[in-house]
Amino acid sequence: MINVLFFAQVRELLGESTIKVEASEQTTTAEGLRALLAAKDDKWGKVLASDKLLVAVNQTISSWDTQVEDGDEVAFFPPVTGG
């Protein structure tokens, strides 16, 4: 299983803070996992649009082509801005 975490506005909009996803051929990269979740419905698709997200795999900021394996933790969160 892949432990998926949602933070900040992503968590608020989805109404989920964490879910478990079965590892599969589609979830071998962060992008594959994002696409699988975004396909759940229109709300998930809008919230999980890759141009609006950052991803971390095992608590390290990662690119969308980062490999994801069974037992990994993947977090999705909006870009952070400061002032």
Side-chain angles (χ1 to χ4, degrees), residues 4-20 37 40 43-44 47-48 76:
V4 182
L5 307 173
F6 304 106
F7 290 98
Q9 186 179 17
V10 177
R11 178 183 63 227
E12 293 169 16
L13 292 171
L14 293 178
E16 301 275 357
S17 60
T18 184
I19 62 171
K20 301 254 187 224
L37 295 173
K40 286 179 78 153
K43 176 177 79 171
W44 283 70
V47 174
L48 295 177
F76 296 107

Side-chain angles (χ1 to χ4, degrees), residues 23-73:
S24 69
E25 287 184 23
Q26 190 173 358
T27 62
T28 59
T29 64
E31 171 56 24
L33 178 60
R34 184 209 62 78
L36 176 75
L37 295 173
K40 286 179 78 153
D41 64 31
D42 287 343
K43 176 177 79 171
W44 283 70
K46 288 177 186 174
V47 174
L48 295 177
S50 62
D51 64 334
K52 299 177 184 175
L53 288 180
L54 294 175
V55 63
V57 177
N58 297 322
Q59 301 181 4
T60 300
I61 299 288
S62 302
S63 65
W64 291 109
D65 61 352
T66 299
Q67 295 295 304
V68 176
E69 299 178 357
D70 193 31
D72 283 349
E73 176 187 272

